[in-house]
Amino acid sequence: MIQYTSYKQPDSFSPAEEEQVLGFLFTHLEQYGDARQDIQRCLDYALYRDGKAGGMIFTARDEDKLVGAVVINHTGMTGYIPEHILVYIATHKDCRGQGIGQQLMQMAIAETTGNIALHVEPDNPARKLYEKLGFTNKYLEMRLNK
């Protein structure tokens, strides 16, 4: 049976759990992932380090095995920019298609107040889940990388 947990306070998330989530996201985001140090910076932000606005972390475990994780960061803004950004969501490659990602997303939506933004690549199969949950594509994102 899958157990779902939300972490909204930085002191409720142990260093061992942080390392486990970091490694899990690095492995299971696969081609949609980021470098390990970038994932760590996201976790630092979610855990209110260095004066950051903070966020929330959601996990799914099958006994002691981590099978899913979501990281949401607070933007510190409202109205013109969504209050939250879903930065990472991943399910274990052996557990995909079992509703774990959907359950994690539903928890994240239920436990946040305000709007949530996320970025998804057009070919990412998770895009269908996001649309099913009510996310829409209002904008085309453009970036200038310096």
Side-chain angles (χ1 to χ4, degrees), residues 65-138:
K65 179 181 176 184
L66 189 61
V67 295
V70 168
V71 181
I72 291 185
N73 284 340
H74 305 316
T75 65
M77 298 177 222
T78 186
Y80 62 99
I81 298 288
E83 290 85 349
H84 312 282
I85 184 163
L86 188 148
V87 185
Y88 295 117
I89 179 170
T91 55
H92 192 287
K93 64 181 179 178
D94 297 336
C95 301
R96 293 184 185 145
Q98 298 177 21
I100 293 168
Q102 182 171 347
Q103 182 66 35
L104 284 167
M105 285 293 298
Q106 288 171 328
M107 269 182 75
I109 291 166
E111 294 193 28
T112 54
T113 57
N115 297 326
I116 304 170
L118 62 81
H119 298 117
V120 63
E121 294 180 29
D123 65 335
N124 188 328
R127 182 176 172 184
K128 289 179 179 45
L129 169 63
Y130 306 142
E131 290 168 345
K132 181 179 172 182
L133 292 171
F135 285 84
T136 60
N137 184 12
K138 183 176 178 182

Side-chain angles (χ1 to χ4, degrees), residues 9-61:
Q9 302 298 322
D11 58 352
S12 66
F13 200 66
S14 75
E17 289 170 311
E18 180 179 352
E19 182 56 39
Q20 188 178 32
V21 167
L22 174 62
F24 178 85
L25 289 171
F26 182 72
T27 300
H28 294 284
L29 285 168
E30 297 174 344
Q31 74 264 29
Y32 304 107
D34 290 323
R36 204 174 162 89
Q37 64 267 23
D38 291 335
I39 297 169
Q40 180 64 64
R41 287 198 333 237
C42 174
L43 291 174
D44 289 343
Y45 191 104
L47 295 169
Y48 299 83
R49 294 190 181 127
D50 300 323
K52 303 295 188 216
M56 295 177 262
I57 300 169
F58 302 87
T59 62
R61 294 181 186 282

